[in-house]
Amino acid sequence: MNQSYEIASHFYDEMLLNDGRYRGHYREYWQWLQQADQQAIARKREEAELLFHRLGITFNVYGDDGGAERLIPFDSVPRIIPASEWAMLDKGIRQRVQALNAFLHDIYHDQRILKAGIIPAEQVLVNDQYQPCMQGLNLHRNLYAHIIGVDMVRNSDGEYYVLEDNLRTPSGVSYMLENRRMMMRLYPELFADQRIAPVERYPSLLLQTLRESSPINDPVVVVLTPGRFNSAYFEHSFLAQQMGVELVESADLFVKNGAVLMRTTAGPCKIDVIYRRVDDAFLDPLAFRPDSMLGVPGLLSVYRAGNVVLANAIGTGVADDKSIYPYVPEMVRFYLGEDPILNNVPTWQCRRPDELSWVLANLEKLVVKEVHGAGGYGMLIGPVASKQQLADFRALLLAKPHNYIAQNTLALSTCPTFVEQGLAPRHIDLRPFALSGAAIRLVPGGLTRVALTEGSLVVNSSQGGGTKDTWVLEDDAC
């Protein structure tokens, strides 16, 4: 362990206590790290980078003049979660996912939560992500979000908080799987010494979930991608290959006689389930954006007739809009009659004049986000913002307050990470992936993202963040 590793007392470090002792669930890894040849570790890090390049595991970093695609940096120090802690997270995520699906079914049917005044109707019904074409449409098992990524952070108090819910086209699970493969290849001895819960079943669980989303037996499943220029194309092709299903683009599909068909060398093949990685607006040029080259003309009519399943359903984006996020704890209480297991980050809605006034008065202390934003873009992190950035965001908030929310700047936990100088603390988050079919299923752990720039709180891969393998121990350490 690098002797210069310094823990900031106001951050929770995942591996070490403030006095420098290791946490109990890191015992085996800590002991291994003390005895490991640091030059050998450096060589294996170089080997990992070479292997990731050969596999083509890249991500689009928008605005990067160095090129459209870059390798996602991989850090070989794992983030380790003890069994009892994961059991709580697992239960809380299942509760949240159940409530979100109940909310989506409700707002497209009886709208009970709106009539009860728990969520203002205008925040849902005029939301850009709300799709009137889904009103009254009955879906198999009443499921809208089959795949959900829940972004979580640990604050300085040691507690986990949900930062946001990703219900449209959540990405990153391929990196979770490849990170595990890489760690097992480079350090097999670590997996022999302790019981680490496996994640390799995710593709088979995803396929099972997609099949269960259809009422017919043995449905034909495909993955619909925008194409190779999409930032997450590696993931699309990876998941299709792992599930053993076809990866298709819009040109491969067409609508005829009330069905979606795939062009094959043996003739047209009827498609029953589409795991779509294309946003709502581009799915069908006859129903949404007429200039879309990524969708299938007539797809919506087949979908509304119940002759094809889309995962996730059209219109799920309203539930991961950041202006709806503050109400998720109330959804849990309203639909499930339970208290939320997982807490939200305290959030102010700038559309409310009193909350806007408070945000403007405390802008330098807060994180401000666009309600439809993603990937870490369009954000203000007040404590590190310049005077000009604060002034610019102040003008944006005054011009379009309904477009923004503000949250406390959390002291994201840190985890030792290899940098040029050796091991140093870097801020991390966690994105577990939940699958909803006949049951809600999670593989233990998820994708841990790490902000590689010293002091940065932005972990998004699209802005140069890296990733770590996430280990969930099957037994609590003594």
Side-chain angles (χ1 to χ4, degrees):
M1 183 74 176
N2 188 349
Q3 297 302 313
S4 64
Y5 187 90
E6 295 182 3
I7 304 170
S9 60
H10 55 291
F11 294 123
Y12 181 103
D13 193 87
E14 297 289 336
M15 183 188 293
L16 299 175
L17 299 165
N18 286 339
D19 61 7
R21 291 180 297 131
Y22 61 83
R23 298 186 188 277
H25 54 283
Y26 266 95
R27 180 182 59 199
E28 280 79 7
Y29 183 80
W30 172 269
Q31 292 172 349
W32 174 87
L33 188 61
Q34 301 309 299
Q35 301 168 3
D37 181 339
Q38 297 303 308
Q39 290 184 338
I41 289 178
R43 288 194 298 270
K44 289 191 176 184
R45 288 168 54 208
E46 293 174 359
E47 180 184 347
E49 186 171 335
L50 178 62
L51 288 169
F52 277 135
H53 269 298
R54 288 178 178 172
L55 289 169
I57 304 176
T58 57
F59 198 96
N60 193 30
V61 181
Y62 298 105
D64 180 9
D65 295 333
E69 290 189 340
R70 278 177 43 190
L71 186 76
I72 290 186
F74 164 72
D75 184 67
S76 60
V77 180
R79 188 245 189 90
I80 303 178
I81 300 173
S84 58
E85 191 171 279
W86 174 251
M88 180 277 295
L89 294 176
D90 179 277
K91 188 176 180 181
I93 293 167
R94 291 172 189 272
Q95 181 193 60
R96 195 172 180 98
V97 166
Q98 188 179 353
L100 285 165
N101 267 309
F103 166 73
L104 286 164
H105 180 264
D106 184 28
I107 62 172
Y108 289 116
H109 289 81
D110 297 336
Q111 301 181 349
R112 293 186 299 118
I113 201 166
L114 306 184
K115 293 172 183 175
I118 294 171
I119 302 177
E122 64 272 13
Q123 281 190 238
V124 173
L125 302 181
V126 299
N127 191 293
D128 289 345
Q129 299 299 320
Y130 185 81
Q131 297 290 357
C133 64
M134 294 296 292
Q135 290 177 353
L137 186 61
N138 294 319
L139 303 182
H140 187 53
R141 302 186 195 276
N142 293 334
L143 287 176
Y144 289 73
H146 307 84
I147 302 100
I148 296 180
V150 181
D151 287 354
M152 313 184 70
V153 295
R154 194 202 295 269
N155 196 16
S156 55
D157 58 6
E159 298 296 321
Y160 282 93
Y161 293 85
V162 175
L163 199 58
E164 61 185 53
D165 306 287
N166 300 277
L167 288 83
R168 279 175 277 184
T169 54
S171 63
V173 75
S174 60
Y175 308 111
M176 173 190 81
L177 296 169
E178 288 291 9
N179 287 350
R180 176 59 55 85
R181 288 182 179 179
M182 187 62 69
M183 286 294 286
M184 294 183 75
R185 174 171 180 161
L186 297 179
Y187 304 107
E189 67 275 16
L190 290 173
F191 293 85
D193 291 342
Q194 51 193 323
R195 296 181 61 191
I196 301 166
V199 298
E200 293 80 7
R201 291 185 61 215
Y202 182 87
S204 63
L205 293 177
L206 175 60
L207 182 58
Q208 181 181 355
T209 297
L210 294 172
R211 285 175 170 165
E212 289 173 353
S213 70
S214 173
I216 69 173
N217 294 323
D218 197 22
V220 176
V221 177
V222 297
V223 177
L224 175 62
T225 177
R228 65 187 182 90
F229 295 110
N230 184 266
S231 62
Y233 180 72
F234 166 78
E235 176 154 300
H236 307 163
S237 58
F238 174 86
L239 290 175
Q241 187 271 332
Q242 291 293 303
M243 289 191 289
V245 304
E246 293 292 336
L247 177 70
V248 299
E249 298 183 30
S250 59
D252 300 314
L253 304 178
F254 64 98
V255 169
K256 185 176 181 180
N257 298 329
V260 177
L261 303 175
M262 176 175 60
R263 295 179 172 90
T264 76
T265 55
C269 171
K270 182 176 180 293
I271 301 303
D272 303 302
V273 179
I274 299 175
Y275 176 26
R276 52 98 172 204
R277 299 299 293 261
V278 176
D279 290 340
D280 286 358
F282 299 94
L283 274 175
D284 183 347
L286 300 182
F288 303 111
R289 286 185 54 157
D291 61 342
S292 172
M293 302 295 289
L294 305 177
V296 182
L299 176 60
L300 178 62
S301 64
V302 180
Y303 182 56
R304 284 190 54 83
N307 294 332
V308 72
V309 172
L310 296 176
N312 288 343
I314 292 172
T316 55
V318 69
D320 73 9
D321 186 284
K322 292 178 179 63
S323 70
I324 301 299
Y325 156 89
Y327 298 104
V328 177
E330 291 305 316
M331 294 178 199
V332 172
R333 296 184 180 97
F334 184 79
Y335 297 114
L336 308 183
E338 301 170 359
D339 288 329
I341 296 169
L342 298 173
N343 293 317
N344 275 12
V345 177
T347 302
W348 289 268
Q349 301 196 56
C350 298
R351 65 174 62 238
R352 298 176 176 175
D354 57 333
E355 297 190 21
L356 173 62
S357 297
W358 191 92
V359 168
L360 290 171
N362 295 274
L363 200 55
E364 70 282 356
K365 304 174 185 176
L366 302 171
V367 174
V368 182
K369 302 177 182 178
E370 289 182 306
V371 296
H372 304 309
Y377 296 100
M379 285 176 55
L380 173 80
I381 301 179
V384 297
S386 66
K387 289 184 178 180
Q388 186 60 52
Q389 287 172 322
L390 289 169
D392 291 344
F393 250 83
R394 192 177 300 277
L396 289 171
L397 289 170
L398 289 169
K400 295 183 177 179
H402 60 282
N403 276 356
Y404 296 92
I405 62 165
Q407 296 177 326
N408 285 345
T409 305
L410 295 186
L412 271 65
S413 66
T414 60
C415 188
T417 301
F418 280 110
V419 296
E420 288 186 10
Q421 298 77 21
L423 280 177
R426 291 293 184 266
H427 295 291
I428 60 172
D429 77 349
L430 176 66
R431 177 178 289 180
F433 295 90
L435 300 171
S436 295
I440 298 174
R441 305 178 180 95
L442 287 84
V443 293
L447 178 66
T448 290
R449 300 181 297 180
V450 54
L452 294 173
T453 302
E454 184 177 2
S456 174
L457 299 174
V458 181
V459 300
N460 303 77
S461 300
S462 55
Q463 296 201 33
T467 64
K468 290 174 172 285
D469 193 11
T470 308
W471 296 359
V472 172
L473 301 183
E474 293 188 322
D475 299 303
D476 273 330
C478 298

